[in-house]
Amino acid sequence: MARTALQWLSLVGIIWLQSVSGTNTNFPAYSSQLKQLLSMSQLQLNNLAFASDAGKIFGFISGIAALHLPLWLVLLIGSTLGLIGYGLQFLLVSNYIHSLSYVHLFLLTVIAGNSVCWMNTVCYVIAIRNFPCDRQVAVGLSTSYQGLSAMIYTTMVDVLFSSFPTQRARAYLLLNSIVPLLVSLVTTVFVREINVTDGKSMKFGFVIIFVITICTGIYAVLGSLKSLFPGLSPLSNAIGISVFLAAPLLVPFKEVIRDISVDNREIKVHDFTAEENIGVDVMQISVKEGEGDNGNDTPEVGVSFVKEEIGVILMLKRVDFWLYFFVYFFGATLGLVYLNNLGQIAESRSCPGTSSLVSLSSSFGFFGRIIPSLMDFLLSRRRYVISRPAFIAALMAPMAGAFFLLLSPTDTSLYISTAVIGVSTGAITSVAVSTTTELFGTKKFSVNHNIVVANIPIGSFIFGYLAALLYHKEENGNGKCMGLQCYKTTFITWGSLCYLGTILALILHCRMQKFYASQKS
């Protein structure tokens, strides 16, 4: 198979991996039931949400492993950790084992959360190395699919366990444990580094992938709004999303067909010149590999600009790093904490259909993650270079407003706010990958970025614990809190912190003005 086809096939494999690797994002869909099954308090449940994020503290280990181990082995280690973490939890809630304490459950959740880091690291490294001229676009496209994970798992549960509504927590844990491992085993054959020597841009293929991705997102959003489409059965929804996930295979298939056509034309021309001796220059007639996708005058798509190549120690000494750290802390991390608590928030407001709300946040998160890639692709000429920190600030402002909108008692405000927070969180998560490479380079990216996202468990603990304490303060004595007062102070605090993060992002933008100005010249 030609190298170009293998490059695209590796991207398809990354897309599939990212689609199922976000196992921690479906926690809100079964957290309330898990709380009842294990007779936990809200604080204990919040600690489990923190534990899932705490696995990212050890994410740097996967980065180091990616520097020294084969990537297929790193991938299998990650999926195996997920099998252990979620699998033992499934056995516990299914009463197959009884010897696990709450501490054991906490540690298993940490292991399960850490497994996501291993899979993400492999996906990032493959995208960066296999698409050197389009790495920002490739990374953004593939990571956008992780935003679909919660929706995909919810759809699978609706199809496979629709007859067992009281078993949803067990169903999620079972699928979380086995699905990533199965997909890893399937994709490990072609999710590997390709020896890219020409470094050419592949614009036409990305156009196809973008069209497929946008259509997938539209379908996911419509599938999440079940109240508007009561005739759409869970099975039909599952078939539809499966077709869209398989659709990117069209690109490597096109490359294979083109290569076969090129080979046949070259053979015919060679036979013609040998038999007839008509001096036809075969090299002028044959189709050159890559011609038609990108001409000599076409600018490279998604070219990243690297400010400098530095390691962890030097990075931690930079003011820019700490500004960036707290921008992420008050932005994407805060959004993730909200999404982790979505189950309890919906329950406190007596909002039916928590799984639909989780699917909605997942679908809009998917769209949010693809926005930076689409902008990189469309505005690829250097004179249109966009400041990443300014873009993050533009995302955080409406997100802060969404937290204050949650003070409204209507279900409509809950759905709108969840959609806005989902879009903003997804977009910041995606653009952060590009920001890390621009600020600190690509050579140590796998370690540097895992250091940056280590703020997620810190924020999960601080913000989540604060929300749990305020929730506990308003409890009615039976472990539940009902009414707007349960999260009122929490939303005001989160909204204010998000506005603070917006200001920090603008400060970082001002500090990087010289750097971006030099890229336009």
Side-chain angles (χ1 to χ4, degrees), residues 212-509:
I212 293 172
T213 304
I214 292 171
C215 291
T216 302
I218 294 173
Y219 181 84
V221 170
L222 295 178
S224 301
L225 301 174
K226 298 176 183 178
S227 59
L228 299 180
F229 302 94
L232 183 64
S233 67
L235 181 58
S236 300
N237 195 23
I239 293 173
I241 200 67
S242 299
V243 170
F244 279 109
L245 287 175
L249 283 171
L250 292 172
V251 178
F253 181 74
K254 176 191 78 72
E255 293 295 332
V256 171
I257 297 299
R258 191 189 66 172
D259 290 334
I260 293 174
S261 176
V262 169
D263 290 341
N264 289 336
R265 289 178 62 181
E266 289 182 343
I267 290 173
K268 290 179 180 178
V269 172
H270 180 271
D271 291 343
F272 175 74
T273 56
E275 293 176 8
E276 302 296 333
N277 195 25
I278 304 180
V280 178
D281 189 350
V282 176
M283 292 303 293
Q284 293 179 351
I285 296 178
S286 61
V287 178
K288 296 178 182 178
E289 181 179 359
E291 191 174 276
D293 283 353
N294 185 44
N296 294 332
D297 296 329
T298 304
E300 292 178 345
V301 177
V303 175
S304 66
F305 309 111
V306 177
K307 189 177 181 182
E308 55 186 334
E309 295 282 354
I310 61 176
V312 174
I313 302 300
L314 188 56
M315 179 181 73
L316 293 175
K317 296 179 180 179
R318 298 296 175 86
V319 174
D320 287 348
F321 167 77
W322 291 107
L323 279 172
Y324 176 39
F325 185 90
F326 283 106
V327 166
Y328 199 104
F329 190 66
F330 295 138
T333 296
L334 203 54
L336 290 172
V337 173
Y338 168 79
L339 297 176
N340 282 340
N341 286 271
L342 192 54
Q344 280 64 53
I345 292 171
E347 182 183 63
S348 69
R349 299 167 70 107
S350 300
C351 179
T354 301
S355 61
S356 297
L357 198 61
V358 172
S359 293
L360 184 72
S361 67
S362 176
S363 302
F364 275 93
F366 170 82
F367 264 121
R369 287 170 181 261
I370 199 177
I371 288 173
S373 306
L374 190 58
M375 294 185 67
D376 274 334
F377 186 77
L378 296 177
L379 307 178
S380 57
R381 294 183 184 272
R382 294 197 176 197
R383 63 175 178 270
Y384 294 124
V385 171
I386 298 174
S387 165
R388 309 284 180 185
F391 185 40
I392 293 175
L395 292 165
M396 290 178 67
M399 182 175 169
F403 282 121
F404 288 107
L405 180 61
L406 286 166
L407 299 176
S408 170
T410 64
D411 288 347
T412 302
S413 67
L414 176 61
Y415 276 85
I416 293 174
S417 295
T418 299
V420 172
I421 293 171
V423 168
S424 298
T425 302
I428 295 170
T429 302
S430 179
V431 79
V433 177
S434 304
T435 308
T436 301
T437 58
E438 286 186 354
L439 284 172
F440 314 117
T442 60
K443 292 182 179 179
K444 300 293 184 180
F445 168 81
S446 59
V447 179
N448 289 347
H449 194 63
N450 278 304
I451 295 295
V452 173
V453 298
N455 74 59
I456 293 177
I458 299 172
S460 179
F461 176 76
I462 296 175
F463 301 138
Y465 197 74
L466 172 64
L469 284 176
L470 294 172
Y471 179 96
H472 181 70
K473 183 180 177 181
E474 301 291 341
E475 281 183 2
N476 54 16
N478 62 358
K480 288 186 177 182
C481 177
M482 304 300 293
L484 291 178
Q485 75 279 3
C486 302
Y487 286 95
K488 179 180 179 180
T489 305
T490 298
F491 292 148
I492 294 174
T493 304
W494 288 355
S496 301
L497 290 173
C498 196
Y499 274 127
L500 174 60
T502 305
I503 295 172
L504 294 178
L506 291 174
I507 294 174
L508 182 59
H509 162 71

Side-chain angles (χ1 to χ4, degrees), residues 25-43:
T25 60
N26 60 48
F27 179 76
Y30 66 90
S31 57
S32 296
Q33 194 174 92
L34 187 67
K35 178 181 176 181
Q36 295 175 358
L37 286 172
L38 301 179
S39 302
M40 292 186 296
S41 67
Q42 183 62 31
L43 288 174

Side-chain angles (χ1 to χ4, degrees), residues 1-12 126 129-132 190 192-200 202 251-260 263 289-290 293:
M1 188 180 294
R3 184 184 295 116
T4 305
L6 289 175
Q7 284 178 266
W8 286 117
L9 195 59
S10 70
L11 182 61
V12 173
I126 291 292
R129 293 179 182 174
N130 285 2
F131 297 89
F190 47 89
R192 55 191 176 88
E193 185 178 356
I194 309 299
N195 184 22
V196 180
T197 56
D198 50 7
K200 64 180 180 179
M202 296 182 287
V251 178
F253 181 74
K254 176 191 78 72
E255 293 295 332
V256 171
I257 297 299
R258 191 189 66 172
D259 290 334
I260 293 174
D263 290 341
E289 181 179 359
D293 283 353

